[in-house]
Amino acid sequence: VPKKLVVTVSGCADDAVAGLVACNPGLRMLQGHRVVLRDDLPAIRGRVAVLSGGGSGHEPAHAGYVGKGMLTGVVAGAVFASPSVGSILAAIRAVAQAGAAGVLLIVKNYTGDRLNFGMALERARAEGTDVRMVVVGDDCAFTTPGKAGRRGICGTVLIHKVAGALAEAGASLDEVEKKVMAAAKIMGTLGLSLSPCSIPGSKPSFQLAEDEMELGLGIHGEAGVRRMKVLPADKAVETMLKHMTDPSNASRLSLTPGSSVVLVVNNLGGLSCLELGIVAGAAVRCLENRGIRIARALVGSFMTALEMAGVSLTLMLVDEELVRLIDAKTTAMAWPNVLAGPATTRREEVPAPVEGPRKLQDEAGTGPGTARVQRVLERVCSTLLDMQDKLNELDRGAGDGDCGHTHARAAQAIREWMRSRPPPTAPAQLLSALADVVLEQMGGSSGVLYGLFLTAAARSLQGRSDTPAWADAMDAGIEAMQRYGGAAPGDRTMLDSLFAAAQALRSLRSPGADPIRVLAAAVQGAEAAAEATRHMEAAAGRASYVRSSRLEQPDPGAVAVAAVLGAMLQ
């Protein structure tokens, strides 16, 4: 039996409704019944009350649609079970006693719902209340009409909205009933699922193979009309729309090019929001290709079947009046707060920002400075390429084994960049250009860390050519890496080597320091720090998720940094 996060199996319908009411100040329970009502019942005096309901397990339906401008109240049954006649009658009496000018019941086309709501209606009429019932059957699954007729599924939510907006605007019961019945005739819904669902405490309702999907299933875990191999989302949507509009399908929706529709892309409960977005985009594209105008698109969980990993598409043919009713304000918590306007895949994009003019790089010449920069960079690149396998091997124990590849990618990119144009010789421009190359080409978090280091160091060197400037640049680069990367010295990362080198470079601030000797000391410090990471506990980076007993090697990032510094000294 699948796991469920409930308190008790028997109390789950009560608990779910109680939770919704607890979190929504606009809702109240009706004492002694599983009935949810608007908390401002006096506001319906002289207006039509709109009631609906059905089994639980379809959340946010039905209680999520109670609010000003939508439903006045709902009656909830147990999971996938019709509510009782007594509770439906209590809801009708509550709104009638609040002064409603008639009551409209919106019922999904299932035998149990029709019987129980119908019985309550007859008893309420005998008490003198003007009650009407609209039965919604929007399912397009069955190609030949059965005696039971079409099932009521997600399209019912649009009917709740239309009825509620008309009632809020002060329409009479006759008018609300007539318009709602007309709207219910011009919509269709079709479901598709990758999985069954299971009532708390029970096994799944049916089985689907790993590579199968089910078309046309209901919202109670009933099997559908066709089982097929899993299709890509766009093909699945095409199949659904084709079935819904197929001329040989008795329960089809007639769609002609030029028609306007409201589209509902409904999560049946267990589909990820990522997949839902993909399906929504495919549905809009597919309808546009057929010449259909999507006046509005609603995407989300509207009427679910517990945890079923599936989706249903609802289309309602609309005119301006229906669109106005769909757009009308409501306080119902489950109705989406979407800007009114059509859906299209052809929305104009915001133009990409134009990069400001770069400060002119110092005239790239080919003087002695350029040749020296090229020599040093070439040594760094060949060192990293030679170490590729060693760094990958070190990374396998602690990470994903790609540290060597990442550094080799940077080396290749720097080589190609040098071939395309002579590197700038001014320190700030050189480091800034290298930052661009590694950020674009290196990848991984190392690429961003090197990019941060070089960008901050370049800013610190701007307009300076004195020797102490390099110590400041090193400190600025490390500070940027720490600020965004979160590591500190001793965390077993590339920072350990850099930090040791930075301590040695501080001697450049003393008058008369010999840069070559200071750099040699920095390289020695970095190499010793890299070796010392062998005995450290990883506290940052991917290695921090690996038990320290398995990290017997030095950190590959620290080793790479020491090697780069060493190559610069050769």
Side-chain angles (χ1 to χ4, degrees), residues 50-345:
V50 184
L51 299 177
S52 187
S56 294
H58 305 303
E59 291 72 19
H62 303 81
Y65 302 114
V66 174
K68 185 178 169 161
M70 218 162 165
L71 298 178
T72 317
V74 299
V75 195
V79 174
F80 292 171
S82 297
S84 70
V85 174
S87 287
I88 301 168
L89 187 57
I92 296 171
R93 285 175 180 153
V95 295
Q97 285 165 22
V103 182
L104 182 71
L105 305 180
I106 296 173
V107 180
K108 298 192 299 302
N109 187 24
Y110 295 101
T111 308
D113 286 10
R114 282 201 321 266
L115 287 171
N116 290 333
F117 276 90
M119 182 69 238
L121 172 142
E122 293 299 334
R123 289 183 59 185
R125 276 189 181 163
E127 294 171 5
T129 309
D130 191 358
V131 190
R132 318 276 174 87
M133 179 160 107
V134 172
V135 177
V136 181
D138 56 319
D139 188 9
C140 292
F142 296 100
T143 50
T144 49
K147 189 166 184 204
R150 296 163 66 180
R151 298 176 292 201
I153 45 180
C154 185
T156 312
V157 175
L158 292 179
I159 297 301
H160 291 160
K161 183 69 180 64
V162 168
L166 284 165
E168 184 58 36
S172 69
L173 183 56
D174 283 334
E175 190 187 346
V176 179
E177 181 187 30
K178 184 170 135 253
K179 287 188 171 164
V180 161
M181 283 174 76
K185 287 194 177 82
I186 48 172
M187 68 171 178
T189 301
L190 187 66
L192 174 82
S193 188
L194 308 175
S195 82
C197 62
S198 55
I199 290 176
S202 306
K203 288 195 163 77
S205 47
F206 59 89
Q207 293 299 322
L208 269 177
E210 279 295 294
D211 61 344
E212 286 182 329
M213 59 196 338
E214 183 104 13
L215 184 73
L217 67 191
I219 50 168
H220 303 96
E222 317 96 312
V225 292
R226 194 159 117 219
R227 198 161 280 199
M228 50 200 188
K229 295 288 181 209
V230 171
L231 296 170
D234 53 347
K235 295 281 182 287
V237 165
E238 270 175 43
T239 306
M240 291 172 82
L241 290 171
K242 197 171 165 192
H243 185 93
M244 288 170 79
T245 57
D246 185 341
S248 67
N249 179 354
S251 59
R252 73 182 175 280
L253 177 70
S254 298
L255 268 193
T256 48
S259 352
S260 276
V261 297
V262 166
L263 164 71
V264 182
V265 182
N266 172 53
N267 190 341
L268 285 172
L271 205 66
S272 70
C273 295
L274 179 110
E275 292 160 283
L276 197 67
I278 294 168
V279 169
V284 171
R285 200 171 307 110
C286 195
L287 288 164
E288 276 181 331
N289 292 342
R290 287 172 164 229
I292 307 297
R293 180 176 176 275
I294 303 130
R296 300 288 181 270
L298 311 174
V299 183
S301 298
F302 296 96
M303 188 171 287
T304 61
L306 294 168
E307 82 283 29
M308 188 179 277
V311 64
S312 68
L313 299 179
T314 299
L315 295 172
M316 179 190 267
L317 291 163
V318 290
D319 55 14
E320 279 179 24
E321 186 193 11
L322 276 174
V323 172
R324 267 201 308 278
L325 295 169
I326 294 290
D327 286 344
K329 283 268 171 283
T330 176
T331 61
M333 61 176 289
W335 186 259
N337 183 18
V338 183
L339 203 60
T344 174
T345 56

Side-chain angles (χ1 to χ4, degrees), residues 372-389:
R372 190 165 64 243
V373 167
Q374 279 171 321
R375 258 198 322 278
V376 171
L377 286 177
E378 184 46 54
R379 275 203 306 273
V380 168
C381 291
S382 47
T383 300
L384 288 176
L385 288 163
D386 292 345
M387 293 179 75
Q388 180 170 350
D389 293 340

Side-chain angles (χ1 to χ4, degrees), residues 1-9 12 196-204 306-308:
V1 174
K3 292 178 280 195
K4 300 279 182 197
L5 206 53
V6 296
V7 181
T8 62
V9 167
C12 57
C197 62
S198 55
I199 290 176
S202 306
K203 288 195 163 77
L306 294 168
E307 82 283 29
M308 188 179 277

Side-chain angles (χ1 to χ4, degrees), residues 342-521:
T344 174
T345 56
R346 299 164 192 154
R347 236 179 265 296
E348 201 178 329
E349 295 183 336
V350 176
V354 182
E355 277 199 47
R358 287 267 171 127
K359 288 208 177 81
L360 271 181
Q361 300 213 335
D362 56 347
E363 281 312 305
T366 41
T370 308
R372 190 165 64 243
V373 167
Q374 279 171 321
R375 258 198 322 278
V376 171
L377 286 177
E378 184 46 54
R379 275 203 306 273
V380 168
C381 291
S382 47
T383 300
L384 288 176
L385 288 163
D386 292 345
M387 293 179 75
Q388 180 170 350
D389 293 340
K390 178 186 171 183
L391 291 175
N392 282 340
E393 189 52 46
L394 289 177
D395 195 27
R396 263 182 215 111
D400 43 8
D402 69 346
C403 183
H405 292 317
T406 309
H407 283 80
R409 233 189 344 264
Q412 295 284 16
I414 292 168
R415 271 186 175 167
E416 279 168 34
W417 169 70
M418 285 197 296
R419 275 194 216 111
S420 67
R421 47 184 298 282
T425 50
Q429 273 96 323
L430 174 63
L431 296 194
S432 188
L434 284 170
D436 288 346
V437 174
V438 295
L439 280 170
E440 271 172 43
Q441 306 290 333
M442 187 173 184
S445 38
S446 324
V448 186
L449 286 164
Y450 280 116
L452 278 166
F453 176 85
L454 291 165
T455 302
R459 277 185 65 184
S460 166
L461 284 167
Q462 201 73 46
R464 291 180 64 182
S465 54
D466 53 311
T467 315
W470 289 95
D472 295 346
M474 187 75 158
D475 288 349
I478 287 173
E479 196 272 324
M481 282 172 105
Q482 281 189 272
R483 188 175 343 135
Y484 295 106
D491 283 349
R492 196 182 191 280
T493 67
M494 63 201 291
L495 203 65
D496 291 306
S497 295
L498 277 171
F499 200 74
Q503 283 181 305
L505 286 186
R506 282 176 193 150
S507 313
L508 291 175
R509 296 189 180 110
S510 317
D514 174 0
I516 296 297
R517 282 175 69 179
V518 172
L519 186 55

